[in-house]
Amino acid sequence: MTQQDWPISKFTGRCARTGRVLGEGEEFFSVIVPEGEELRRLDFSVAEWSGPPDGALGYFRARVPLKGKPKKPLVDEANLFEFFERLRDETDADAGGSEW
């Protein structure tokens, strides 16, 4: 599922409480709150975070990305593919070679 599947506002780069720009590499908290028919994302600096507001659907801690530094993928695709091949082979061996 992608962000396009849910009407959630994007990261603004500013603390929702103070309006201060969050700096590169700075940790912050994001919270998702319902607002009418949409879901609104509010970002807070660590210093201004006092916990999620009432009615929040969820929250997470993140870090402002560094400019010019490529994002590291969450999973190495080659390793993931290899893992599933090993899993398939182990499952086949355990099941006596039968199909799924």
Side-chain angles (χ1 to χ4, degrees), residues 9 18 24 28 36 42 46 51-53 55 60 63 70 73 75 77 79 84 97:
S9 56
T18 65
E24 284 185 54
F28 64 94
L42 301 171
V46 172
F60 57 93
R63 187 178 298 272
V75 177
E77 289 181 23
N79 287 339
F84 281 112

Side-chain angles (χ1 to χ4, degrees), residues 45-59:
S45 68
V46 172
E48 295 296 328
W49 177 251
S50 58
D54 290 340
L57 299 176
Y59 68 93

Side-chain angles (χ1 to χ4, degrees), residues 82-97 100:
E82 182 181 315
F83 167 77
F84 281 112
E85 284 185 327
R86 285 195 322 263
L87 183 62
R88 180 198 62 210
D89 294 343
E90 290 173 12
T91 303
D92 287 348
D94 290 343
W100 296 2

Side-chain angles (χ1 to χ4, degrees), residues 13-22 26 43-49:
R14 293 183 176 274
C15 177
R17 184 160 290 129
T18 65
R20 180 180 68 78
V21 173
L22 300 169
E26 182 178 351
D43 302 306
F44 295 90
S45 68
V46 172
E48 295 296 328
W49 177 251

Side-chain angles (χ1 to χ4, degrees), residues 3 6-16 19-32 39-46 60-67 71:
Q3 185 174 2
W6 299 93
I8 301 173
S9 56
K10 294 185 178 188
F11 176 61
T12 63
R14 293 183 176 274
C15 177
R20 180 180 68 78
V21 173
L22 300 169
E24 284 185 54
E26 182 178 351
E27 290 188 353
F28 64 94
F29 285 91
S30 286
V31 62
I32 306 299
L39 300 175
R40 184 170 180 207
R41 175 181 171 166
L42 301 171
D43 302 306
F44 295 90
S45 68
V46 172
F60 57 93
R61 188 172 186 155
R63 187 178 298 272
V64 177
L66 300 174
K67 292 180 183 174
K71 290 183 180 179

